[in-house]
């Protein structure tokens, strides 16, 4: 719960289930144990009452009025000294007959006329459940059972109960775990749909979700539709603005050229420089608008194959130069970037490398756990370290004799930043040239 972190639903359900099952099992154990104790005590009292009835029926006055029993009680435990079951007959407040289990000892005589209700007492340090009954001729009958007999039965039952409840709790927790897993399955599907949405495989989330999520999914779809509509409208407005600016800009440029033809060279050059600057700004903002509109809505499954397509186009563009373009990207590397944005990034960097390379341009990639680095290396003269940040600014060119607009690296940097990535220019460690490194997060 990596997915079972404290802030995850799975963790919360697991803790809630554990607490509930634990508390319910504990309460069940207490209640069942108490019910069984009452039942066993009631049974003991019933057995002792029956034995007392039997003792009363078997006892008759003998010669001289002393009590005599015709036969022993039917329960053999009254014959066993270690059984914990005793009886005693008193005459005029003094013990007259006792069970063999007392081994010649006596139970403390009952006070008064005795009580037919069972009660607990202590005799010689032993806890006894006792019933007394008065009889004719000054006789008093007492029958007792040691508390250790009842305790032993309760302990045995509680041991079995604990094992049974532990197994029951384990089954309940297993069922709760399966229930949580089944209940959270829609959230896993929702996460998968969102990934597909980010990869451009879906345009909206499906409505086939549990009712608890339907409201959230509906609002997300409405939000994405509103954002898509806003971005589309912004891109249309940007295109219209660019078109509306290009027409008067073309007229101003033409007028400046006529001024140059008329001999007003200084004024014409100033106006043309400003027109070119405005044109670069228009082109730059149009490229930014196009890239921002597609952010995070696609994935490139094979970076090497994708780069081969870019290399093929640029080889035709630079066919007049004897350049070797090497694609050293491992096969099967995937990257979550809109294909249009990635094409813009690679085209700008490889084209720039081809303009400055002496003979070789190499493209490679390093895939890490959290990010992917794309490296475009050329064997040209390189860029001095003090100028590397400067060339990333809009319209900056180190050599006006080399074809270009000064927009490529700036646009590339801005597109990369849209994906929370970075563009870095480095020196080749063991020779001349430049390495343009694009770092993009894998997610």
């Amino acid at each position: 719960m990596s997915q079972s972190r404290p802030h995850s639903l799975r963790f919360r359900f697991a803790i809630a289930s554990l607490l509930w099952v634990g508390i319910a099992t504990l309460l069940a154990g207490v209640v069942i144990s108490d019910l069984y104790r009452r039942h066993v005590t009631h049974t003991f009292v019933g057995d002792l009452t029956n034995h007392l009835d039997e003792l009363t029926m078997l006892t008759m006055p003998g010669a001289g009025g002393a009590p005599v029993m015709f036969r022993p009680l039917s329960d053999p435990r009254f014959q066993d000294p270690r059984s914990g079951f005793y009886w005693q007959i008193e005459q005029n407040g003094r013990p007259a007959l006792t069970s063999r289990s007392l081994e010649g000892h006596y139970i403390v005589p009952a006070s008064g006329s005795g009580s037919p209700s069972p009660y607990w007492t202590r005799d010689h340090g032993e806890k006894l459940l006792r019933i007394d009954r008065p009889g004719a001729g000054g006789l008093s009958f007492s029958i007792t059972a040691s508390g250790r007999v009842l305790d032993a039965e309760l302990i045995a039952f509680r041991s079995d109960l604990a094992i049974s409840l532990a197994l029951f709790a384990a089954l309940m927790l297993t069922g709760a775990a399966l229930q949580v897993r089944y209940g959270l399955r829609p959230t896993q599907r929702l996460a998968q749909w969102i990934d597909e949405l980010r990869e451009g495989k879906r345009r909206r989330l499906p409505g086939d979700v549990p009712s608890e999520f339907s409201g959230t999914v509906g609002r997300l779809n409405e939000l994405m539709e509103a954002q898509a509509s806003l971005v589309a409208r912004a891109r249309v407005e940007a295109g219209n603005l660019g078109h509306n600016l290009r027409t008067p800009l073309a007229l101003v440029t033409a007028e400046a050229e006529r001024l140059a033809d008329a001999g007003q060279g200084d004024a014409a050059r100033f106006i043309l420089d400003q027109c070119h600057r405005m044109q670069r700004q228009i082109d730059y903002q149009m490229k930014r608008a196009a890239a921002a509109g597609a952010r995070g809505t696609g994935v490139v499954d094979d970076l090497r194959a994708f780069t081969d397509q870019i290399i093929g186009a640029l080889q035709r563009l630079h066919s007049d130069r004897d350049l070797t373009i090497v694609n050293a990207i491992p096969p099967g590397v995937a990257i979550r970037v809109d294909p249009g944005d990635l094409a813009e990034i690679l085209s700008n960097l490889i084209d720039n490398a081809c303009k400055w390379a002496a003979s070789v341009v190499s493209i490679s990639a390093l895939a890490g756990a959290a990010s992917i680095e794309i490296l475009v290396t050329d064997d040209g003269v390189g860029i001095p370290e003090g100028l590397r940040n400067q060339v990333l600014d809009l319209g900056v060119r180190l050599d006006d004799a080399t074809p270009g607009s000064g927009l490529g690296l700036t646009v590339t940097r801005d597109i990369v930043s849209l994906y929370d990535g970075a563009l870095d220019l480095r020196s080749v460690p063991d020779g001349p040239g430049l390495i343009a490194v694009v770092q993009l997060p894998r997610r």
Side-chain angles (χ1 to χ4, degrees):
M1 327 242 131
S2 61
Q3 294 182 340
S4 297
R5 293 189 295 271
H7 296 293
S8 71
L9 289 176
R10 190 183 301 274
F11 179 83
R12 294 182 181 185
F13 287 148
I15 292 298
S17 299
L18 183 62
L19 290 176
W20 167 246
V21 171
I23 293 173
T25 302
L26 181 62
L27 290 177
V30 172
V31 172
I32 294 174
S33 179
D34 183 69
L35 290 175
Y36 185 75
R37 179 187 61 80
R38 294 183 184 185
H39 170 73
V40 171
T41 302
H42 180 75
T43 302
F44 262 52
V45 170
D47 290 344
L48 291 179
T49 301
N50 292 335
H51 293 319
L52 185 59
D53 293 340
E54 185 182 14
L55 180 64
T56 304
M57 290 171 39
L58 293 176
T59 303
M60 297 291 293
V68 177
M69 288 188 65
F70 294 106
R71 62 174 178 81
L73 293 181
S74 58
D75 192 334
R77 288 177 294 183
F78 289 98
Q79 307 297 320
D80 185 359
R82 295 167 296 182
S83 67
F85 286 83
Y86 318 108
W87 59 261
Q88 178 174 283
I89 301 175
E90 303 169 18
Q91 189 173 31
N92 299 323
R94 299 186 64 183
L97 290 176
T98 61
S99 64
R100 183 176 298 179
S101 58
L102 280 172
E103 295 183 302
H105 297 91
Y106 299 101
I107 303 173
V108 176
S111 59
S113 60
S115 172
S117 300
Y119 63 95
W120 289 98
T121 184
R122 282 193 172 274
D123 193 355
H124 298 88
E126 186 175 16
K127 182 181 178 181
L128 300 174
L129 179 61
R130 178 170 177 169
I131 304 177
D132 299 324
R133 178 182 295 174
L139 297 181
S140 177
F141 301 90
S142 299
I143 197 159
T144 63
S146 175
R148 59 184 170 83
V149 178
L150 181 62
D151 292 342
E153 186 164 348
L154 290 176
I155 290 173
F157 173 77
R158 287 167 180 166
S159 177
D160 294 339
L161 178 63
I163 295 174
S164 300
L165 289 178
L167 293 175
F168 176 75
L171 291 175
M172 289 292 290
L173 289 174
T174 301
L178 294 175
Q179 184 179 13
V180 168
R181 183 173 182 179
Y182 176 76
L184 292 180
R185 189 174 296 173
T187 63
Q188 298 173 352
R189 292 204 310 268
L190 187 59
Q192 180 182 354
W193 292 338
I194 293 176
D195 287 340
E196 294 174 355
L197 190 70
R198 294 176 60 189
E199 295 170 0
K201 297 178 181 178
R202 291 182 180 272
R203 304 194 69 86
R204 57 184 288 119
L205 297 175
D208 184 19
V209 293
S211 58
E212 291 79 6
F213 294 110
S214 59
T216 301
V217 169
R219 293 184 183 93
L220 284 174
N221 283 331
E222 292 174 0
L223 177 61
M224 287 184 294
E225 290 171 359
Q227 288 182 335
S229 176
L230 180 63
V231 170
R233 187 165 60 250
R235 294 177 68 184
V236 170
E237 293 296 333
N240 292 336
L241 177 62
H243 177 73
N244 293 334
L245 288 176
R246 281 193 178 99
T247 300
L249 187 60
L251 294 175
V252 173
T253 302
E255 186 64 26
E257 291 174 350
R258 281 194 293 269
L259 288 174
D261 295 338
Q264 300 183 31
D266 293 339
R269 280 192 297 273
F270 176 78
I271 296 174
L272 286 173
D273 287 342
Q274 297 305 313
C275 288
H276 293 157
R277 184 178 179 183
M278 292 173 63
Q279 185 63 52
R280 284 196 299 268
Q281 286 286 350
I282 293 172
D283 293 339
Y284 169 69
Q285 295 301 335
M286 291 295 294
K287 288 179 179 291
R288 278 180 57 90
R295 179 190 178 191
T297 58
V299 63
V300 175
D301 295 321
D302 192 338
L303 180 59
R304 179 184 176 88
F306 188 86
T307 305
D308 281 335
Q309 299 176 14
I310 306 296
I311 291 175
L314 290 175
Q315 280 178 329
R316 289 191 294 271
L317 181 63
H318 296 276
S319 59
D320 57 329
R321 304 189 60 200
D322 188 16
L323 290 177
T324 301
I325 304 179
V326 179
N327 186 355
I329 299 175
V333 176
I335 183 170
R336 182 166 289 168
V337 179
D338 178 74
D341 289 348
L342 185 59
E344 184 75 20
I345 292 171
L346 292 175
S347 297
N348 288 337
L349 294 180
I350 299 174
D351 181 51
N352 190 72
C354 289
K355 291 175 183 177
W356 294 96
S359 60
V360 178
V361 174
S362 175
I363 304 98
S364 58
L366 300 174
S371 64
I372 293 179
E373 286 188 349
I374 303 174
L375 299 87
V376 179
T377 306
D378 66 74
D379 59 350
V381 296
I383 300 176
E385 186 174 355
L387 298 177
R388 290 175 190 166
N389 290 331
Q390 182 179 344
V391 298
L392 297 178
D393 293 336
L394 179 63
V396 174
R397 300 175 60 196
L398 297 183
D399 186 359
D400 291 336
T402 303
S405 62
L407 296 178
L409 291 178
T410 305
V411 171
T412 298
R413 180 197 61 188
D414 291 345
I415 295 176
V416 170
S417 67
L418 292 175
Y419 293 90
D420 298 324
L423 172 62
D424 186 26
L425 302 180
R426 306 173 186 172
S427 299
V428 176
D430 53 354
L434 183 73
I435 305 176
V437 181
V438 173
Q439 185 181 62
L440 293 169
R442 301 206 73 163
R443 286 189 172 272

